[in-house]
Amino acid sequence: MNFKKKDIMLILAGIILLALEFDITVAGAKIDIFSDVLAYIIILIGISHIAVRNNIFKKCKSTSIKGLIAAVAVQAVHCVSLGVAQANADLFMMGVMTIFFIYFTYYFTEGIALEAKMQDKSAVARNFKLTWGVFGVFIFAYYIILNFISAGSIVAIIVQAVLVICAIYYCYAMSAACDMLYMEGLPQRSEEALAEEKQNEKMVEK
């Protein structure tokens, strides 16, 4: 299996891009400088090589595909004039994007935690839930502030800054964990292989 550390780095780079939000308006169309479309393409390239490792990574891949479709739809909505419905369409699509972002990071976190469990290195994932939980809270908080309070307010700027810091720390934690789990490349034991070993052990016991 062609696994390289760059696959994890691509995923983490995509997560950083998703956390960055900076729109400009060109000819009446709102354009995301840190494109979510690009972010999900990068993530898909990375996750494709490790999706077969376990079912949670497969959910990561599925969620990133849905996220890419939603990101393309968001850009399409930004490029057309919907009149009075524009604000509602933007609100809905950004909500969908936020949900996919939260779900992807959750599945990715759980996927790495499962890898740690399969390698008998559960201590590596000891603080994962707290790290992801704080990150997820600020992802959602930024969506609420951006759409229901004021995008240009001091509060929005502070929350976005904290969100980016959380994203950087989250990616650092995932990168450090992957360094410990994949020091010698991708282990041969996948979730399916582990289940087969347990089944064989039960048969032997009988």
Side-chain angles (χ1 to χ4, degrees), residues 18-199:
L18 288 174
L20 295 171
E21 183 75 28
F22 186 77
D23 296 334
I24 62 172
T25 301
V26 178
K30 191 162 62 173
I31 299 174
D32 184 7
I33 295 297
F34 301 105
S35 175
D36 290 346
V37 176
L38 176 61
Y40 276 114
I41 289 174
I42 292 173
I43 287 172
L44 266 173
I45 294 171
I47 199 66
S48 294
H49 290 150
I50 61 174
V52 296
R53 287 292 300 167
N54 60 58
N55 287 330
I56 299 180
F57 280 151
K58 289 177 183 176
K59 289 181 180 179
C60 275
K61 183 176 180 180
S62 174
T63 303
S64 62
I65 291 172
K66 294 173 184 176
L68 176 59
I69 294 171
V72 171
V74 167
Q75 290 301 317
V77 168
H78 286 172
C79 291
V80 297
S81 177
L82 299 177
V84 294
Q86 186 75 50
N88 290 333
D90 285 344
L91 180 64
F92 174 76
M93 292 307 301
M94 292 308 297
V96 170
M97 289 296 296
T98 299
I99 291 171
F100 283 134
F101 189 11
I102 291 174
Y103 266 97
F104 177 81
T105 53
Y106 171 76
Y107 287 138
F108 183 65
T109 305
E110 289 297 305
I112 297 296
L114 181 56
E115 286 285 295
K117 183 178 180 181
M118 289 191 295
Q119 297 181 40
D120 298 321
K121 297 179 180 178
S122 296
V124 171
R126 183 172 55 246
N127 297 319
F128 275 12
K129 287 186 177 180
L130 176 61
T131 302
W132 173 81
V134 173
F135 187 25
V137 165
F138 277 97
I139 292 172
F140 185 70
Y142 184 63
Y143 164 74
I144 295 297
I145 291 171
L146 193 65
N147 292 281
F148 295 98
I149 300 180
S150 175
S153 68
I154 295 297
V155 174
I157 294 172
I158 291 173
V159 171
Q160 184 179 23
V162 175
L163 172 59
V164 173
I165 291 171
C166 288
I168 293 171
Y169 180 77
Y170 170 86
C171 290
Y172 166 77
M174 294 300 109
S175 177
C178 290
D179 284 343
M180 296 181 67
L181 295 174
Y182 306 127
M183 286 185 295
E184 298 177 356
L186 194 65
Q188 294 300 313
R189 294 176 76 196
S190 63
E191 185 180 23
E192 290 78 6
L194 187 62
E196 186 176 346
E197 288 177 13
K198 289 183 178 179
Q199 184 65 31

